Amino acid sequence: MTGTRPLLSIGPKPADAGWAGATPARPLRTALVNMPWARVDAPSIQCGLLASVARQHGHECEVHYLNLRLAAAIGGSRYEAIAELQSERLHMFGEWLFSYAAFGDVTPEQEYFREFPELAETWRGIAGTDLDDLVTFRRETLPAWLESCLDGIAWRRYDVVGFSSTFFQNTATLALGRMIKERAPEVTLVYGGANFDGEMGVEFQRHLPWLDYVVSGEGDVAFPALLHAIAAGSSEDIPGVSRRDSAGGSNPAGDSERLHDLDRLPVPDYQDYFHELARLDRHRVLAGTAVKLPLELSRGCWWGAKHHCTFCGLNALGMAYRAKTGDRALTELSELLRDYPAVHIEAVDNILDMKHLTTVCAELAGRRWDVSIFFEVKANLTREQLHTLQQAGIHRIQPGIESLSTNVLRLMRKGSTSLINIRLLKWARYYGIKLDWNILTGFPGEVDADYTDQARLIPQLVHLQPPAGCGRLWLERFSPYFTDSSLGMSNVRPRAVYRYLYPDRLDHSKIAYFFDYDTAEQVGRTAREALVTAVDRWCARWSTGERRPNLFYQRLPEKLTIIDSRWDEPRKAVLTGWRAAAYEACGDAPRTAASVRQELSTGSPAVTVEAVGSFLAGCCRAGVMAADEGKFLSLALPENPGW
Ligand code: B12
Ligand code: SF4
C-alpha cells in the first residue's frame, strides 16, 4: 500500500482504509469519457468500474462512449483498421491523427510521412484515398467530429468530467478536454489511466492547463476520495492525485493507494456501452465483430512479484498480486453474463491466479455454460490444467511464451524453458485452445545459436499453433530494461514518433511510454533471418486452406503407431514394448532418460538408462521428440480425443 495518510472516508477494514461509501458533502454529477481509439467491440472496464465506484460513493456518473460515435461516423471497419493498426516501427498513427486537434501543428505532416513512408499504402488500404485526403481527415474531419462531441453533450451539467486513457487514446482525450475547458471552464477535468502513470501524468499536467487533476495508478480509492474532496471544497492531499495549484504548476503526489481486498470492488457497469450501441447503428459500429465483456479477477502478477520479466512494463509498485475469491469471481461472471447480451468474456488479468483453477475454473466446468473466455496465463500449465481451462470455456489464452530458446527465456527471466513452452503448444492444440503468442527477439546477451537452434526446431513443431509473428522487443517504461541500465540497454530515448505527436514544451522523455535504445548486438543477420524464415513458413502452413500438418499416435495393444503428416511424404512408425511406454512417458512433461527408466523399471528391469537415452535421442533425430538440457518431450499428440 503506497498511501500513508488516512483518506477522507473510513472503511471497515484497516488494510483498505478509504474504501467505503461515506456520504459526500454533496452528490456530484460526474461523467467518464472513453475516447478513440479504444476498441469498440468491448465496453471500457476502466470507465465501467470507476462509474460503479463513484455511484457506490454517492455520486451520479454517466459514461460517454465517444469511440462508438466515431466508429458510427466513419464506419466500424475503417475505425477498426485504424485502432488495430500494428507496426513494428511504432508510428502511433491513431495518436498522430488526433494530435493536430489537440496541439495544432507540431511538425509538418510531410515530415511524418517521410519518417513512415509505409503509411501512404496503409491509408490507401484503409480509406482508398491518397495522403492529401489523409491530411484533410486529420485537419478537418476529426476536429469537426470533436466539435460535434462538444455540442452534442451538455458538458456544463457535470461537476466533474473524467478521461480514461490507455494505449492510443491520449491525443483524442487531450483534445476534447481542452475544448471542454475552453467552453465550460467551471467543469473540473480529471485524467487517469495507464498513459498518466508516474511522471507521465505529472508532466502532462505541468504543461497542459486544462488538466485540473491527474490520478497516477489505480483509481478505485483515489477517484472517490477526490470526488469527496471536490464536493467538500477540500484541498487535502490524496495519494496519487496531483492537482494544479494556484501558481499553475502541479503538485505531484506519488502513486495512488491500492485496494487490497478486490472483493470489495463493485461489478463494472456496462449499461452505457450497450445503450450507446443500441442508439447508434450497431452493425455499422461493430462491422460484424462480436462484443466481448471485460472481466477482472486479479491485479498485479504473482510471477513478476518474484522475478519481474526484464521486458515487462508493469509498474513494479503494482506487481503485488491480489485476487478476488472464487465465490466472488463466479458471482461477478454470472452477473455479467446475465445482464448483458454477450457470451465472450475477456479477462484483463495479467496472469491467471492458480487458485482460480481449482475454484472458478473447476466450478465453471461443471456449469457447462456456452461461453468463450480469454485469459492471460503462465506458460507452465500442465495438460490437466489446460483440460480444466477448456472445460471451463476458456477457449483462448495468451500464455506469454515469447521464445522457444531456453537461453533467451532465461535472459528475460520468464521462468520457463523451451520444452515447457512446447508442452503448452502441444496440449493447447489437443484441447482446441487458441493461443495468442509471439516470438520476441533482441534481448541483450543473445547469441547466434539461440536463433539457429529455434530455426532448426520449428519445422518439427508445424503441427502446433504458430506464433502471430517474430519481432523485436519494445523497450517500455517501468520495465527492468528501462529502470536498470546494467541489463544492457543504453542511450535510452523516447521513440522517434513522439516528436510528431507532442509539442516540444512537453519533455518527451517524461511522457513517452516506448523508448529507443542502444544495445551490443551479438546476433548476426544470417541467424536472425533463419529464424524469421522458419516462423514465416510455419505461419504459412497454417494460413493456407489446406489440411493442417499433423503428428499423432494411435495407442494399440502392445504398440504405439506414430502417424506424421508434417512433411511432403507422410511417415509412419510403430513402437513396441518398453519403447512405446517410454515415448508416452515423455508426453505430459519433459523427462530425463533416468526418470523414464525408473518409471519403466517395474515392467522392464533389464532396460538400462543408456538404452532409454539412446532411444529418446533417436526419436529426436526422427523429429518426433524434442530435447533440451538433458530432458525429452514427445511431440506427437494422442489421436484419442478422450484423454
Ligand atoms: C488487458 C490488457 C491488454 C489486452 C486488452 C487490451 C484492450 N484493448 O482492452 C491485450 C492483451 C489485447 C493487450 C494488448 C496490449 N497491451 Co495491454 N494490458 C492489459 C492489462 C493487462 C490490463 C488493462 C486493464 O484493463 N486493467 C483493468 C483496469 C480496471 O485497470 P487499469 O487499466 O489499470 O485502470 C485503473 C487505473 O489506470 C485508473 N484509471 C483508469 N482510467 C481512469 C480515469 C480516471 C478519470 C481516473 C481517476 C482513474 C483512471 O483506475 C483504474 C481502476 O483502478 C494492462 C496491464 C495492467 N494490469 O493494467 C496492459 C497494458 C494496458 N497494456 C499495455 C501495452 C503496452 C499493450 C500492448 C502494446 C502490447 C504490449 N507490448 O504489452 C498491446 C496493445 C493493444 C492495443 N490496443 O494497441 C500497457 C499500456 C501502456 C499505455 N501507456 O497505455 C499496459 C499498462 C501494460 C504495460 N505496462 O505494459 N493489453
Ligand atoms: S511478462 Fe507477464 S509473467 Fe512476466 S512479469 Fe509481466 S505480467 Fe508477469
Side-chain angles (χ1 to χ4, degrees):
M1 185 153 68
T2 54
T4 46
R5 70 176 59 229
L7 291 178
L8 297 170
S9 50
I10 295 164
K13 276 202 178 179
D16 289 329
W19 183 260
T23 313
R26 68 185 170 97
L28 297 179
R29 284 159 307 178
T30 69
L32 290 166
V33 187
N34 195 36
M35 289 300 279
W37 302 94
R39 62 192 297 191
V40 289
D41 61 351
S44 157
I45 189 166
Q46 290 84 358
C47 293
L49 177 60
L50 291 176
S52 293
V53 167
R55 288 179 202 136
Q56 198 180 43
H57 285 76
H59 303 283
E60 292 171 25
C61 192
E62 292 169 355
V63 181
H64 292 292
Y65 281 94
L66 300 186
N67 60 332
L68 299 188
R69 291 194 189 189
L70 182 61
I74 67 172
S77 306
R78 183 176 298 192
Y79 180 98
E80 201 180 310
I82 296 171
E84 298 294 312
L85 195 59
Q86 300 289 334
S87 102
E88 185 67 12
R89 298 203 310 123
L90 193 69
H91 45 51
M92 295 177 84
F93 183 60
E95 291 290 62
W96 176 80
L97 284 173
F98 273 107
S99 82
Y100 179 78
F103 304 111
D105 280 313
V106 172
T107 50
E109 273 99 358
Q110 293 311 322
E111 285 186 22
Y112 181 68
F113 298 151
R114 264 197 297 279
E115 177 92 35
F116 301 105
E118 66 273 25
L119 282 171
E121 202 45 45
T122 306
W123 179 248
R124 187 165 296 284
I126 292 172
T129 57
D130 60 16
L131 290 177
D132 288 343
D133 178 67
L134 170 56
V135 172
T136 309
F137 185 67
R138 181 177 189 248
R139 288 180 169 252
E140 295 172 20
T141 312
L142 292 178
W145 175 78
L146 284 168
E147 286 291 339
S148 76
C149 294
L150 191 62
D151 295 338
I153 293 170
W155 298 104
R156 282 212 154 86
R157 75 185 200 84
Y158 298 114
D159 299 299
V160 173
V161 172
F163 285 97
S164 178
S165 176
T166 305
F167 304 126
F168 304 139
Q169 286 183 285
N170 217 38
T171 51
T173 294
L174 293 172
L176 185 64
R178 181 178 57 71
M179 293 160 76
I180 293 174
K181 201 67 180 176
E182 281 164 11
R183 177 162 302 180
E186 70 279 15
V187 177
T188 300
L189 300 187
V190 183
Y191 280 75
N195 284 325
F196 289 90
D197 277 348
E199 69 173 352
M200 297 181 288
V202 173
E203 180 66 9
F204 280 122
Q205 194 189 37
R206 183 170 291 143
H207 298 281
L208 307 179
W210 60 96
L211 277 59
D212 296 314
Y213 294 94
V214 168
V215 174
S216 167
E218 295 178 9
D220 322 280
V221 175
F223 187 51
L226 174 60
L227 293 181
H228 276 35
I230 293 170
S234 154
S235 57
E236 185 177 356
D237 280 351
I238 301 166
V241 180
S242 51
R243 89 162 46 79
R244 179 159 303 288
D245 65 24
S246 52
S250 78
N251 161 353
D255 219 31
S256 64
E257 182 167 354
R258 295 185 160 83
L259 198 64
H260 286 251
D261 178 0
L262 294 193
D263 280 5
R264 305 177 77 192
L265 285 172
V267 176
D269 187 332
Y270 297 144
Q271 293 291 352
D272 289 328
Y273 170 83
F274 286 98
H275 286 154
E276 190 67 353
L277 211 49
R279 196 184 67 78
L280 299 165
D281 176 348
R282 180 190 172 104
H283 296 287
R284 186 170 161 77
V285 170
L286 292 176
T289 324
V291 169
K292 289 94 187 166
L293 297 174
L295 169 77
E296 184 184 46
L297 300 189
S298 68
R299 288 192 183 164
C301 172
W302 51 260
W303 173 257
K306 291 182 289 186
H307 310 276
H308 194 170
C309 300
T310 48
F311 63 93
C312 170
L314 286 187
N315 186 344
L317 290 172
M319 213 47 115
Y321 198 62
R322 298 150 287 160
K324 291 176 182 169
T325 57
D327 282 350
R328 163 56 202 264
L330 280 161
T331 309
E332 181 159 346
L333 182 55
S334 308
E335 280 183 27
L336 291 177
L337 289 166
R338 183 197 64 200
D339 293 347
Y340 303 112
V343 294
H344 296 273
I345 298 285
E346 284 196 1
V348 299
D349 304 26
N350 297 307
I351 191 163
L352 175 75
D353 183 359
M354 297 309 272
K355 283 205 283 298
H356 285 159
L357 273 169
T358 48
T359 55
V360 184
C361 298
E363 177 65 26
L364 279 176
R367 293 194 187 181
R368 300 168 62 90
W369 287 341
D370 294 313
V371 289
S372 181
I373 304 176
F374 164 83
F375 248 103
E376 293 192 33
V377 300
K378 184 124 172 55
N380 60 359
L381 292 180
T382 62
R383 179 173 68 77
E384 289 80 6
Q385 289 168 332
L386 284 163
H387 192 194
T388 306
L389 294 188
Q390 183 242 15
Q391 289 181 315
I394 300 177
H395 297 149
R396 191 163 65 90
I397 56 175
Q398 185 174 311
I401 289 177
E402 327 295 10
S403 180
L404 297 171
S405 153
T406 298
N407 185 42
V408 177
L409 290 162
R410 278 203 189 106
L411 293 172
M412 57 175 96
R413 292 191 205 138
K414 257 284 155 194
S416 182
T417 65
S418 172
L419 295 188
I420 294 285
N421 284 348
I422 296 170
R423 174 179 69 171
L424 185 115
L425 293 175
K426 194 177 130 175
W427 292 108
R429 163 112 207 236
Y430 182 71
Y431 290 116
I433 297 175
K434 207 174 155 300
L435 303 174
D436 289 352
W437 75 285
N438 283 299
I439 290 187
L440 292 180
T441 62
F443 295 84
E446 288 172 342
V447 292
D448 275 7
D450 299 329
Y451 287 57
T452 47
D453 286 354
Q454 289 189 80
R456 261 196 301 275
L457 174 66
I458 284 172
Q460 290 152 37
L461 305 181
V462 291
H463 59 302
L464 308 176
Q465 193 193 310
C470 171
R472 283 183 81 80
L473 77 118
W474 288 3
L475 178 52
E476 292 182 1
R477 182 182 285 279
F478 302 127
S479 65
Y481 279 139
F482 179 79
T483 53
D484 181 355
S485 58
S486 73
L487 291 176
M489 308 284 198
S490 59
N491 188 19
V492 172
R493 58 211 182 266
R495 292 288 292 250
V497 69
Y498 287 98
R499 67 190 177 91
Y500 305 101
L501 311 180
Y502 295 105
D504 284 344
R505 66 177 187 280
L506 292 157
D507 180 342
H508 293 186
S509 66
K510 291 188 175 151
I511 57 165
Y513 194 80
F514 299 106
F515 291 82
D516 280 324
Y517 55 89
D518 297 338
T519 182
E521 196 63 77
Q522 286 161 305
V523 175
R525 204 168 140 183
T526 318
R528 198 180 301 285
E529 281 174 4
L531 176 59
V532 171
T533 307
V535 169
D536 286 350
R537 287 200 184 126
W538 188 0
C539 296
R541 297 280 308 263
W542 275 61
S543 63
T544 55
E546 294 161 29
R547 215 162 44 85
R548 286 199 173 138
N550 244 321
L551 174 65
F552 60 89
Y553 67 84
Q554 293 167 338
R555 191 183 219 229
L556 295 160
E558 293 177 32
K559 65 177 181 182
L560 206 109
T561 307
I562 300 178
I563 299 166
D564 185 357
S565 68
R566 292 171 297 169
W567 324 99
D568 291 341
E569 289 288 314
R571 299 173 191 172
K572 206 177 196 177
V574 179
L575 303 178
T576 54
W578 66 263
R579 291 179 179 79
Y583 190 81
E584 262 198 316
C586 297
D588 286 0
R591 304 277 296 270
T592 60
S595 89
V596 172
R597 153 78 179 74
Q598 182 145 17
E599 188 175 314
L600 298 177
S601 62
T602 35
S604 315
V607 184
T608 62
V609 175
E610 289 68 32
V612 173
S614 133
F615 164 70
L616 297 177
C619 288
C620 292
R621 283 193 297 281
V624 294
M625 184 165 274
D628 184 41
E629 300 192 326
K631 290 191 174 168
F632 297 87
L633 180 76
S634 53
L635 295 176
L637 295 164
E639 184 182 46
N640 190 328
W643 271 43

